[in-house]
Amino acid sequence: MGRLIIVFQILIWSWTSIGLADNQLEQPRTKAIKGIVDLSSYDFSRSGPIALDGQWFFHKSKFISPEQPESVDGKELVKVPSAWRRLIINGTALEPQGYGSYQLKILLPNPAPQGLALKTPLIGSGYRLYLNGRKITQVGTP
């Protein structure tokens, strides 16, 4: 599975690098910082798809529902994308098996562009994906 993820990351990097080559001076690469990615001034029509890489919040051994406030205790910043086995929480590597919740807030222009989509890589375990507090997909039983 790790090999598939690495190949996916390389393909995405190559594709976005080629796709954004003529716009890189106008649209700097945007990264998530402290659990927020600010796309409020991003020009989707000119620059196309964007990776949501960067610092996401991670809640070890907790399933966080969308109804819970953003200020939930026990969250740590982790680099995404990153393999589970490489995550370090409070100076300790995660056990090979476990669970947790990732959180990212995405700020969009107002009004938000129509036709936005979210593409997820292959995730080798069960998960639920929420968008604006609404479950949009589930794979297996997390």
Side-chain angles (χ1 to χ4, degrees):
M1 185 179 92
R3 184 174 174 179
L4 290 174
I5 292 173
I6 291 169
V7 171
F8 175 78
Q9 291 171 346
I10 291 170
L11 289 175
I12 291 298
W13 178 82
S14 299
W15 179 68
T16 55
S17 295
I18 293 167
L20 297 177
D22 60 341
N23 297 322
Q24 283 183 343
L25 294 177
E26 298 172 45
Q27 292 285 348
R29 292 189 63 93
T30 302
K31 293 248 183 219
I33 300 171
K34 295 183 180 177
I36 299 173
V37 62
D38 187 354
L39 303 178
S40 59
S41 60
Y42 187 80
D43 188 344
F44 289 92
S45 62
R46 287 185 45 95
S47 299
I50 186 164
L52 300 176
D53 299 351
Q55 299 173 328
W56 289 43
F57 282 117
F58 178 72
H59 304 264
K60 179 184 173 190
S61 302
K62 293 181 185 174
F63 286 128
I64 303 300
S65 73
E67 294 82 29
Q68 289 179 285
E70 290 182 37
S71 62
V72 174
D73 291 334
K75 60 186 177 183
E76 298 287 332
L77 286 171
V78 296
K79 180 183 173 199
V80 171
S82 182
W84 177 270
R85 67 184 178 278
R86 293 191 180 130
L87 290 180
I88 306 293
I89 305 296
N90 294 325
T92 305
L94 291 180
E95 296 290 325
Q97 295 183 350
Y99 66 97
S101 298
Y102 289 85
Q103 280 185 314
L104 179 68
K105 179 184 269 189
I106 303 169
L107 305 178
L108 294 172
N110 190 9
Q114 296 296 308
L116 293 180
L118 185 63
K119 181 179 180 180
T120 57
L122 175 64
I123 300 173
S125 64
Y127 67 91
R128 285 184 215 111
L129 182 62
Y130 291 87
L131 183 64
N132 291 336
R134 187 174 59 104
K135 183 170 70 172
I136 59 172
T137 192
Q138 178 171 332
V139 174
T141 305

